[in-house]
Amino acid sequence: MKISVVGSGYVGLVAGACFADMGNDVICQDIDSKKIRVLNSGKVPIFEPALRKLIEKNANARRLRFTADFGKAVNHADVIFIAVGTPPRTDGGADLSYIENVTRGIAAIAKEPKIVVEKSTVPVLTGEKIEQILRCSNGNAAKGKCIPHMVVSNPEFLREGSAVKDFLEPDRIVIGTNSEKARAVMRKLYAPLKAKMVFTDIKSAEIIKHASNSFLATKISFINAIANICEKTGANVEEVAQGMGLDKRIRPNFLSAGLGYGGFCFPKDVDAFIWIAQRSGYDFALLREVQKINQLQRQIFVKKVEDALWVLRDKKIGVLGLAFKPNTDDMRFAPSIDIINALQLEGAKVRVYDPQAMERAKGILQNVEYCNNTYDAAKDADALLFLTEWDEFRKIDLQKVKRLMRQPVVCDGRNIFNPKQLRQFGFNYISIGRL
Ligand code: NAD
């Protein structure tokens, strides 16, 4: 099939490369011409395991091309995926201006009927707006020259860090459309993945995405609340999570206590879902509490650091891990940002290291010192904070770390280490939900 993907970020690039690998003729388009130049020079602007090789293979086979030319992308495709950002507005709702721009662009350019697919995460009823714009733009409807474009909601569930694998081996593919033709085309497009397909109307598909992310965020906040009770009573949250997770109705995923969720999806999607509910006349108080617990988790962690060091002013703090989770360089809404800001506000001097996110961090964090590796960050530190559970950190030489530090304080926000072992090494070890 001839496919275009508008927006070549984490989702657009992965979707484009995977569709090409499935044998389709794909153009990935982006408004950011610098990004397109990078892609056309054979480089990949994001760190995502397996993506570089997949892009290289399919670009060489001429099944995958990159362009900043929107018209070329629209004219090329029978199916146009919209994968632009839907960032949060200050009132919690999703900023849909990028989606609107792309939709108006398609309506103005497309002379043949297109299948227009919402790949971005959008609030329920966005599909209706897209349909309206495609139907009515340029006075087409008034002139009786309507082009029968078709709209599909096909939310994406990939996770950064395992995005290619998630895209190619999804738990389910959700296809929401009111058009039989579009449904048949989407079924054919995804058939090679041999995954379970769920067919719905557009609105239900839109809600499936927000409801799924909000449910997972709820699980995370739930176990973090349990972790706080464990700390106060001397129980161990890992044992509690294991005992809960073995119940098939609960399952063990998303039951790791830590610093709470971050990244480009959960925080904004929970915000957006609360906003959508409010607009439709329902107060989603449960999700407001989920958000509150998530934010509190970062503050509780900063307080633990403060309790361990007494006064934070002029203390040297090494931070290991900046990305919102391992195997990605994505820093968007990462807990590390709030935690570092809070420490700096108290006058601490922060030195940081992350295996992949250092470049991105430079555009976000102020007045931090960037280190070359773990040991560099530990040097003369009064405390060492683990904020992302990169595998690299699990293998560090703890004896060497202790020798390098000024005070042997380790605050492990991701429960990477075994408390007993760390204490045997002589660390003052603080973690989440475990004594
Ligand atoms: P991103 O910021 O990495 O990429 C978005 C891209 O769209 C950018 O490269 C930007 O330049 C481009 N863009 C913006 N306006 C454009 C326009 N008018 N024309 C062409 N390109 C334009 O974002 P992302 O992480 O890929 O997320 C995209 C969407 O997918 C969001 O709605 C997000 O919620 C959703 N999503 C993201 C993930 C994830 O893990 N990142 C997972 C599932 C769903």
Side-chain angles (χ1 to χ4, degrees), residues 6-7 9-11 29-32 35 83-86 98 102 120-121 156 158 160 209 264-265 268 332:
V6 178
Y10 285 88
V11 168
Q29 188 270 351
D30 204 285
I31 203 167
D32 180 348
K35 194 176 261 189
V84 297
T86 47
Y98 305 99
V102 174
S120 304
T121 302
E156 182 49 56
L158 64 77
E160 288 174 25
K209 175 64 190 179
F264 189 48
C265 290
K268 80 170 173 57
R332 293 178 289 185

Side-chain angles (χ1 to χ4, degrees), residues 93-363:
D95 177 354
L96 299 177
S97 55
Y98 305 99
I99 300 272
E100 182 183 352
N101 283 344
V102 174
T103 309
R104 289 196 188 282
I106 295 171
I109 292 171
K111 299 285 174 275
E112 304 290 326
K114 306 281 180 191
I115 297 177
V116 178
V117 186
E118 297 172 349
K119 197 52 154 163
S120 304
T121 302
V122 293
V124 61
L125 299 178
T126 302
E128 273 188 4
K129 298 277 184 210
I130 293 178
E131 273 178 338
Q132 267 169 27
I133 291 176
L134 291 176
R135 208 179 308 131
C136 309
S137 71
N138 291 341
N140 280 343
K143 287 184 217 151
K145 284 198 291 185
C146 269
I147 303 171
H149 298 299
M150 293 147 274
V151 176
V152 177
S153 166
N154 170 221
E156 182 49 56
F157 299 95
L158 64 77
R159 295 161 300 173
E160 288 174 25
S162 53
V164 171
K165 189 171 183 300
D166 289 347
F167 191 93
L168 295 173
E169 298 167 30
D171 291 339
R172 78 306 203 184
I173 294 161
V174 175
I175 295 165
T177 183
N178 309 322
S179 152
E180 271 188 33
K181 182 174 172 201
R183 193 175 303 128
V185 171
M186 295 299 284
R187 190 197 293 276
K188 193 168 161 209
L189 173 64
Y190 279 111
L193 297 187
K194 300 194 175 13
K196 175 133 187 74
M197 293 191 204
V198 180
F199 295 98
T200 67
D201 59 275
I202 297 178
K203 290 182 237 178
S204 302
E206 290 168 337
I207 289 194
I208 287 172
K209 175 64 190 179
H210 271 125
S212 300
N213 274 5
S214 297
F215 187 79
L216 294 173
T218 304
K219 248 185 133 176
I220 294 172
S221 279
F222 188 87
I223 199 66
N224 281 334
I226 301 288
N228 290 322
I229 299 170
C230 288
E231 276 174 25
K232 288 184 194 305
T233 56
N236 181 323
V237 73
E238 283 182 338
E239 290 174 9
V240 173
Q242 194 196 10
M244 288 170 63
L246 285 171
D247 186 325
K248 287 196 187 71
R249 297 167 302 176
I250 298 175
R251 301 217 273 187
N253 318 47
F254 288 81
L255 285 184
S256 299
L259 299 171
Y261 55 81
F264 189 48
C265 290
F266 283 8
K268 80 170 173 57
D269 291 352
V270 172
D271 272 2
F273 209 29
I274 293 170
W275 184 89
I276 294 160
Q278 206 78 45
R279 284 281 289 238
S280 59
Y282 177 72
D283 175 17
F284 212 148
L286 172 67
L287 281 189
R288 283 195 281 110
E289 197 59 30
V290 165
Q291 253 178 347
K292 205 167 109 191
I293 294 170
N294 198 55
Q295 214 47 39
L296 194 64
Q297 203 62 7
R298 299 168 191 195
Q299 293 165 18
I300 292 173
F301 186 75
V302 172
K303 185 169 178 298
K304 284 179 183 173
V305 179
E306 198 171 1
D307 286 348
L309 295 182
W310 188 17
V311 175
L312 287 176
R313 174 157 304 281
D314 293 329
K315 292 279 161 55
K316 261 192 179 180
I317 297 185
V319 168
L320 294 177
L322 299 171
F324 82 95
K325 65 175 190 174
N327 298 324
T328 179
D329 58 352
D330 199 345
M331 288 276 304
R332 293 178 289 185
F333 303 99
S336 63
I337 301 171
D338 283 348
I339 290 169
I340 289 170
N341 285 343
L343 295 170
Q344 287 179 324
L345 210 63
E346 292 299 319
K349 297 199 162 74
V350 180
R351 308 176 74 236
V352 302
Y353 169 71
D354 185 284
Q356 289 296 339
M358 303 279 267
E359 275 315 304
R360 290 202 187 266
K362 285 176 189 162

